[in-house]
Amino acid sequence: NTEGKGHGEQRLRTENANTQSLIPSPRKMSIDDVCNLSESLLYPAPLTIRVNLSYITREEVIVTLKKNEIECESCKLSPSGIMLTKRTQLNTLDIFKQGLIEVQDEGSQLISYALFKRFLSKVQAAKHFTLRIFRIIQEKLQQAMLTSENSGNF
């Protein structure tokens, strides 16, 4: 790692600065907000699953879950998420055994989408760079071939 001590940490802080607005400071929260937050932490987090959209749609999974008398609803933010209203043993379901669903909280699902989007932008930049290098090499080869043809060496 060529970064000096503390520079990597500073870079991460800078890159993630926009996420600070998602986490309010308790000092800036009203008494009601602090009470609501405190009360919400008394209850278990909902059970959320991620659908493997490469093989099945979220709607198909919801239908299957409801046929198995499992109450559920689509997550509000994640396009592949389903929130179960009660804790449920999923490992007995065929869709779980086949890898069509897995347990993953909605926040982690959203992070994976964000990282994938960032990854795609990096791949796109690398693609443009590679194409540019290819064009330069192609031009150099064409120039070399023309030079060789003109000198009778080709």
Side-chain angles (χ1 to χ4, degrees):
N1 187 356
T2 59
E3 294 178 314
K5 187 173 182 176
H7 290 323
E9 184 179 316
Q10 177 62 36
R11 181 180 52 81
L12 285 174
R13 256 187 267 137
T14 303
E15 287 178 1
N16 297 312
N18 60 345
T19 61
Q20 293 302 314
S21 63
L22 297 175
I23 307 166
S25 167
R27 292 180 188 150
K28 295 180 181 178
M29 296 173 70
S30 70
I31 296 295
D32 288 340
D33 290 338
V34 172
C35 289
N36 289 336
L37 175 63
S38 299
E39 186 177 339
S40 73
L41 295 174
L42 295 174
Y43 302 100
L47 180 61
T48 308
I49 59 175
R50 181 178 58 82
V51 177
N52 187 339
L53 296 175
S54 298
Y55 300 103
I56 192 168
T57 66
R58 179 165 67 173
E59 290 71 28
E60 290 172 313
V61 172
I62 289 173
V63 168
T64 301
L65 292 171
K66 288 186 177 184
K67 281 182 184 175
N68 285 283
E69 299 178 5
I70 300 172
E71 294 179 37
C72 60
E73 61 185 48
S74 298
C75 286
K76 292 178 179 26
L77 299 174
S78 174
S80 60
I82 298 174
M83 191 180 313
L84 308 182
T85 55
K86 289 191 247 177
R87 296 276 177 180
T88 306
Q89 191 153 357
L90 298 172
N91 61 352
T92 60
L93 300 174
D94 287 337
I95 57 174
F96 183 83
K97 292 176 186 176
Q98 296 167 356
L100 301 176
I101 62 169
E102 64 182 71
V103 175
Q104 186 180 45
D105 66 283
E106 188 173 17
S108 297
Q109 293 176 38
L110 294 172
I111 288 171
S112 66
Y113 281 113
L115 291 176
F116 184 69
K117 184 177 178 182
R118 186 170 178 179
F119 169 76
L120 285 181
S121 69
K122 299 286 185 191
V123 168
Q124 188 71 14
K127 176 183 154 190
H128 288 297
F129 180 73
T130 304
L131 287 173
R132 182 171 164 80
I133 290 174
F134 175 75
R135 287 188 193 114
I136 291 169
I137 292 170
Q138 188 178 30
E139 288 174 13
K140 296 290 183 187
L141 286 172
Q142 287 173 346
Q143 288 173 359
M145 288 173 61
L146 285 174
T147 303
S148 294
E149 284 177 2
N150 291 337
S151 65
N153 292 334
F154 191 70

Short mmCIF file of all heavy atoms in Angstrom, two decimals, residues 76-106:
data_model
loop_
_atom_site.label_atom_id
_atom_site.label_comp_id
_atom_site.label_asym_id
_atom_site.label_seq_id
_atom_site.Cartn_x
_atom_site.Cartn_y
_atom_site.Cartn_z
N LYS A 76 -39.54 -2.06 0.74
CA LYS A 76 -39.85 -0.76 0.15
C LYS A 76 -38.72 -0.23 -0.74
O LYS A 76 -38.97 0.46 -1.71
CB LYS A 76 -40.16 0.24 1.26
CG LYS A 76 -41.46 -0.09 1.97
CD LYS A 76 -41.75 0.88 3.09
CE LYS A 76 -43.03 0.62 3.83
NZ LYS A 76 -43.57 -0.69 3.85
N LEU A 77 -37.47 -0.56 -0.43
CA LEU A 77 -36.35 0.00 -1.18
C LEU A 77 -35.64 -1.01 -2.07
O LEU A 77 -35.27 -0.68 -3.19
CB LEU A 77 -35.35 0.64 -0.21
CG LEU A 77 -35.89 1.78 0.64
CD1 LEU A 77 -34.85 2.22 1.66
CD2 LEU A 77 -36.32 2.94 -0.23
N SER A 78 -35.40 -2.21 -1.59
CA SER A 78 -34.65 -3.19 -2.36
C SER A 78 -35.54 -3.91 -3.35
O SER A 78 -36.56 -4.49 -2.97
CB SER A 78 -34.00 -4.22 -1.43
OG SER A 78 -33.39 -5.23 -2.19
N PRO A 79 -35.16 -3.92 -4.63
CA PRO A 79 -35.97 -4.60 -5.64
C PRO A 79 -35.94 -6.12 -5.54
O PRO A 79 -36.75 -6.80 -6.15
CB PRO A 79 -35.36 -4.13 -6.96
CG PRO A 79 -33.98 -3.67 -6.63
CD PRO A 79 -34.01 -3.22 -5.21
N SER A 80 -35.02 -6.67 -4.74
CA SER A 80 -34.95 -8.12 -4.59
C SER A 80 -35.31 -8.57 -3.19
O SER A 80 -35.17 -9.74 -2.86
CB SER A 80 -33.54 -8.61 -4.95
OG SER A 80 -32.59 -8.03 -4.09
N GLY A 81 -35.80 -7.66 -2.36
CA GLY A 81 -36.06 -7.99 -0.97
C GLY A 81 -37.51 -8.29 -0.65
O GLY A 81 -38.43 -7.74 -1.25
N ILE A 82 -37.68 -9.19 0.30
CA ILE A 82 -39.00 -9.53 0.83
C ILE A 82 -38.88 -9.54 2.35
O ILE A 82 -37.96 -10.15 2.91
CB ILE A 82 -39.49 -10.92 0.35
CG1 ILE A 82 -39.64 -10.92 -1.17
CG2 ILE A 82 -40.81 -11.29 1.02
CD1 ILE A 82 -39.99 -12.29 -1.75
N MET A 83 -39.81 -8.86 3.02
CA MET A 83 -39.82 -8.82 4.48
C MET A 83 -40.90 -9.76 4.99
O MET A 83 -42.06 -9.69 4.55
CB MET A 83 -40.10 -7.39 4.97
CG MET A 83 -39.86 -7.24 6.44
SD MET A 83 -40.17 -5.56 7.06
CE MET A 83 -39.33 -4.56 5.88
N LEU A 84 -40.50 -10.64 5.90
CA LEU A 84 -41.44 -11.56 6.51
C LEU A 84 -41.98 -10.93 7.78
O LEU A 84 -41.22 -10.31 8.54
CB LEU A 84 -40.76 -12.89 6.83
CG LEU A 84 -40.02 -13.55 5.66
CD1 LEU A 84 -39.43 -14.89 6.08
CD2 LEU A 84 -40.92 -13.73 4.46
N THR A 85 -43.28 -11.05 8.00
CA THR A 85 -43.88 -10.39 9.16
C THR A 85 -43.58 -11.13 10.46
O THR A 85 -43.67 -10.54 11.53
CB THR A 85 -45.40 -10.24 8.98
OG1 THR A 85 -45.95 -11.53 8.72
CG2 THR A 85 -45.72 -9.31 7.83
N LYS A 86 -43.22 -12.43 10.40
CA LYS A 86 -42.88 -13.20 11.59
C LYS A 86 -41.61 -13.99 11.32
O LYS A 86 -41.29 -14.32 10.17
CB LYS A 86 -43.98 -14.20 11.92
CG LYS A 86 -45.25 -13.60 12.45
CD LYS A 86 -46.15 -14.69 12.99
CE LYS A 86 -47.38 -14.80 12.11
NZ LYS A 86 -48.28 -15.85 12.50
N ARG A 87 -40.89 -14.30 12.39
CA ARG A 87 -39.73 -15.18 12.27
C ARG A 87 -40.22 -16.53 11.76
O ARG A 87 -41.21 -17.07 12.25
CB ARG A 87 -39.02 -15.35 13.61
CG ARG A 87 -38.44 -14.08 14.15
CD ARG A 87 -37.11 -13.87 13.56
NE ARG A 87 -36.55 -12.59 14.03
CZ ARG A 87 -35.38 -12.17 13.66
NH1 ARG A 87 -34.65 -12.89 12.85
NH2 ARG A 87 -34.94 -11.03 14.08
N THR A 88 -39.54 -17.06 10.77
CA THR A 88 -39.97 -18.29 10.11
C THR A 88 -38.77 -19.16 9.82
O THR A 88 -37.71 -18.65 9.47
CB THR A 88 -40.68 -17.94 8.77
OG1 THR A 88 -41.72 -17.01 9.04
CG2 THR A 88 -41.26 -19.16 8.12
N GLN A 89 -38.94 -20.45 9.93
CA GLN A 89 -37.87 -21.38 9.58
C GLN A 89 -37.92 -21.59 8.07
O GLN A 89 -38.83 -22.21 7.54
CB GLN A 89 -38.04 -22.70 10.31
CG GLN A 89 -36.83 -23.58 10.18
CD GLN A 89 -36.70 -24.51 11.35
OE1 GLN A 89 -37.47 -24.47 12.29
NE2 GLN A 89 -35.69 -25.36 11.29
N LEU A 90 -36.94 -21.04 7.37
CA LEU A 90 -36.93 -21.09 5.91
C LEU A 90 -36.23 -22.31 5.34
O LEU A 90 -36.46 -22.68 4.20
CB LEU A 90 -36.24 -19.83 5.36
CG LEU A 90 -36.92 -18.50 5.69
CD1 LEU A 90 -36.03 -17.34 5.27
CD2 LEU A 90 -38.28 -18.42 5.02
N ASN A 91 -35.36 -22.94 6.13
CA ASN A 91 -34.54 -24.02 5.58
C ASN A 91 -35.31 -25.28 5.20
O ASN A 91 -34.76 -26.19 4.61
CB ASN A 91 -33.40 -24.37 6.54
CG ASN A 91 -33.88 -24.84 7.89
OD1 ASN A 91 -35.06 -24.79 8.19
ND2 ASN A 91 -32.95 -25.28 8.71
N THR A 92 -36.61 -25.31 5.50
CA THR A 92 -37.43 -26.44 5.08
C THR A 92 -38.08 -26.21 3.72
O THR A 92 -38.62 -27.14 3.13
CB THR A 92 -38.54 -26.72 6.12
OG1 THR A 92 -39.35 -25.55 6.24
CG2 THR A 92 -37.94 -27.08 7.47
N LEU A 93 -38.02 -24.98 3.23
CA LEU A 93 -38.66 -24.64 1.96
C LEU A 93 -37.78 -25.03 0.77
O LEU A 93 -36.56 -24.83 0.80
CB LEU A 93 -38.95 -23.14 1.89
CG LEU A 93 -39.88 -22.56 2.95
CD1 LEU A 93 -39.93 -21.05 2.82
CD2 LEU A 93 -41.27 -23.16 2.83
N ASP A 94 -38.41 -25.54 -0.29
CA ASP A 94 -37.67 -25.91 -1.50
C ASP A 94 -36.96 -24.70 -2.12
O ASP A 94 -35.84 -24.84 -2.59
CB ASP A 94 -38.61 -26.55 -2.53
CG ASP A 94 -39.03 -27.96 -2.14
OD1 ASP A 94 -38.29 -28.60 -1.35
OD2 ASP A 94 -40.08 -28.42 -2.62
N ILE A 95 -37.60 -23.53 -2.09
CA ILE A 95 -36.97 -22.35 -2.70
C ILE A 95 -35.71 -21.95 -1.95
O ILE A 95 -34.79 -21.38 -2.54
CB ILE A 95 -37.95 -21.15 -2.83
CG1 ILE A 95 -38.54 -20.76 -1.48
CG2 ILE A 95 -39.02 -21.44 -3.85
CD1 ILE A 95 -39.40 -19.50 -1.52
N PHE A 96 -35.65 -22.27 -0.66
CA PHE A 96 -34.43 -22.01 0.12
C PHE A 96 -33.37 -23.06 -0.21
O PHE A 96 -32.21 -22.73 -0.46
CB PHE A 96 -34.73 -22.00 1.61
CG PHE A 96 -33.54 -21.66 2.47
CD1 PHE A 96 -33.18 -20.35 2.67
CD2 PHE A 96 -32.78 -22.67 3.04
CE1 PHE A 96 -32.07 -20.03 3.45
CE2 PHE A 96 -31.68 -22.36 3.82
CZ PHE A 96 -31.33 -21.04 4.03
N LYS A 97 -33.77 -24.32 -0.23
CA LYS A 97 -32.85 -25.42 -0.52
C LYS A 97 -32.24 -25.30 -1.92
O LYS A 97 -31.09 -25.68 -2.13
CB LYS A 97 -33.57 -26.77 -0.40
CG LYS A 97 -33.97 -27.12 1.01
CD LYS A 97 -34.76 -28.41 1.02
CE LYS A 97 -35.32 -28.72 2.39
NZ LYS A 97 -36.17 -29.93 2.36
N GLN A 98 -33.00 -24.74 -2.86
CA GLN A 98 -32.53 -24.58 -4.23
C GLN A 98 -31.69 -23.31 -4.42
O GLN A 98 -31.19 -23.05 -5.50
CB GLN A 98 -33.72 -24.55 -5.20
CG GLN A 98 -34.50 -25.83 -5.23
CD GLN A 98 -35.85 -25.68 -5.94
OE1 GLN A 98 -36.23 -24.60 -6.35
NE2 GLN A 98 -36.56 -26.79 -6.07
N GLY A 99 -31.55 -22.52 -3.38
CA GLY A 99 -30.76 -21.30 -3.47
C GLY A 99 -31.47 -20.14 -4.15
O GLY A 99 -30.84 -19.19 -4.60
N LEU A 100 -32.79 -20.20 -4.22
CA LEU A 100 -33.55 -19.14 -4.87
C LEU A 100 -33.76 -17.94 -3.94
O LEU A 100 -34.03 -16.84 -4.41
CB LEU A 100 -34.90 -19.67 -5.36
CG LEU A 100 -34.81 -20.83 -6.37
CD1 LEU A 100 -36.20 -21.35 -6.71
CD2 LEU A 100 -34.07 -20.41 -7.61
N ILE A 101 -33.65 -18.19 -2.64
CA ILE A 101 -33.73 -17.11 -1.65
C ILE A 101 -32.65 -17.33 -0.60
O ILE A 101 -32.16 -18.45 -0.42
CB ILE A 101 -35.11 -17.04 -0.95
CG1 ILE A 101 -35.39 -18.34 -0.18
CG2 ILE A 101 -36.22 -16.72 -1.94
CD1 ILE A 101 -36.60 -18.28 0.74
N GLU A 102 -32.28 -16.24 0.07
CA GLU A 102 -31.38 -16.35 1.22
C GLU A 102 -31.67 -15.20 2.17
O GLU A 102 -32.23 -14.18 1.76
CB GLU A 102 -29.92 -16.38 0.81
CG GLU A 102 -29.42 -15.13 0.14
CD GLU A 102 -27.96 -15.29 -0.27
OE1 GLU A 102 -27.68 -16.05 -1.20
OE2 GLU A 102 -27.12 -14.63 0.37
N VAL A 103 -31.32 -15.38 3.42
CA VAL A 103 -31.56 -14.35 4.42
C VAL A 103 -30.51 -13.26 4.25
O VAL A 103 -29.31 -13.53 4.21
CB VAL A 103 -31.49 -14.95 5.85
CG1 VAL A 103 -31.62 -13.85 6.89
CG2 VAL A 103 -32.55 -16.01 6.04
N GLN A 104 -30.98 -12.03 4.08
CA GLN A 104 -30.09 -10.87 3.99
C GLN A 104 -30.90 -9.62 4.28
O GLN A 104 -31.95 -9.40 3.67
CB GLN A 104 -29.45 -10.77 2.60
CG GLN A 104 -28.41 -9.68 2.52
CD GLN A 104 -27.78 -9.58 1.14
OE1 GLN A 104 -28.46 -9.63 0.13
NE2 GLN A 104 -26.46 -9.43 1.11
N ASP A 105 -30.42 -8.80 5.21
CA ASP A 105 -31.17 -7.60 5.58
C ASP A 105 -31.20 -6.62 4.40
O ASP A 105 -30.35 -6.66 3.50
CB ASP A 105 -30.57 -6.94 6.82
CG ASP A 105 -29.19 -6.40 6.57
OD1 ASP A 105 -28.24 -7.21 6.54
OD2 ASP A 105 -29.06 -5.19 6.38
N GLU A 106 -32.20 -5.76 4.40
CA GLU A 106 -32.41 -4.85 3.28
C GLU A 106 -31.24 -3.88 3.10
O GLU A 106 -30.85 -3.56 1.98
CB GLU A 106 -33.72 -4.07 3.45
CG GLU A 106 -34.09 -3.27 2.23
CD GLU A 106 -35.46 -2.63 2.32
OE1 GLU A 106 -36.02 -2.52 3.43
OE2 GLU A 106 -35.98 -2.21 1.27
#
